[in-house]
Amino acid sequence: MKENVIRGFLCILGILDIIFGTISLYNWLASILPIRLSNVEAVFNIVVPGDLGYSIAIITVGSLSVASAYWGLNNVKGIAALFLSSTLAVGLLGLQLLIATANVCDTVILKWSNETVEYNPLNDVLRIEVIVGLVFLPILKYSTKILEETGIIRK
């Protein structure tokens, strides 16, 4: 029962990641192609950037989550996919928090030099990689615990 709930949650989370990654890829294409396409700025107040690197990374996280749900947690492939997806998601969280910190520092420096700056830190925090990374923090701990119990990694 517990494994089925986790697998269902991972499948839903993976599909949402793939959807957001696809929207981001669309936004990137809309910004570089000469035809007129409108950007999707936000979905449910979550900012969706038009960034190719972001879209590849978040689609990878989603694909690995769906693969983990498919293979299950009793299979080495499923555990490895779960560990890789959660590690990548937490890495994206850390990267986005570093970017947000740099933007705040940039704003403070510009304010000190009497520049007019409009900055909303929620634009850096309400992004899918932050939300997914926070969700994957306990999943990373869980997958690491499973890998330690099976002897694949050592403490």
Side-chain angles (χ1 to χ4, degrees):
M1 177 67 181
K2 179 182 174 185
E3 183 181 343
N4 288 336
V5 171
I6 293 172
R7 288 173 75 176
F9 178 72
L10 287 172
C11 192
I12 291 170
L13 192 61
I15 290 170
L16 286 174
D17 287 345
I18 292 170
I19 290 170
F20 272 96
T22 305
I23 292 171
S24 177
L25 188 62
Y26 168 80
N27 284 345
W28 176 73
L29 286 172
S31 69
I32 66 165
L33 291 178
I35 57 175
R36 289 237 190 242
L37 296 174
S38 60
N39 282 352
V40 179
E41 297 295 326
V43 176
F44 304 118
N45 290 331
I46 299 172
V47 178
V48 182
D51 185 3
L52 178 63
Y54 159 79
S55 63
I56 291 171
I58 206 73
I59 288 172
T60 303
V61 169
S63 300
L64 286 169
S65 298
V66 170
S68 176
Y70 173 75
W71 284 315
L73 300 178
N74 296 328
N75 188 340
V76 175
K77 289 180 186 178
I79 297 168
L82 180 65
F83 179 72
L84 289 174
S85 67
S86 57
T87 302
L88 185 58
V90 171
L92 289 172
L93 166 68
L95 183 64
Q96 185 57 36
L97 291 179
L98 284 174
I99 291 169
T101 304
N103 286 340
V104 167
C105 292
D106 188 38
T107 302
V108 168
I109 290 169
L110 288 174
K111 288 276 187 182
W112 283 346
S113 64
N114 295 325
E115 294 280 334
T116 305
V117 179
E118 291 184 24
Y119 173 67
N120 185 0
L122 288 178
N123 289 339
D124 284 336
V125 176
L126 285 180
R127 290 177 55 129
I128 191 66
E129 61 259 42
V130 173
I131 296 166
V132 168
L134 289 174
V135 170
F136 270 103
L137 273 172
I139 295 172
L140 178 61
K141 177 72 174 164
Y142 177 72
S143 64
T144 305
K145 182 180 144 192
I146 291 174
L147 289 173
E148 287 173 352
E149 288 174 356
T150 57
I152 295 175
I153 61 172
R154 294 187 181 107
K155 294 182 184 181

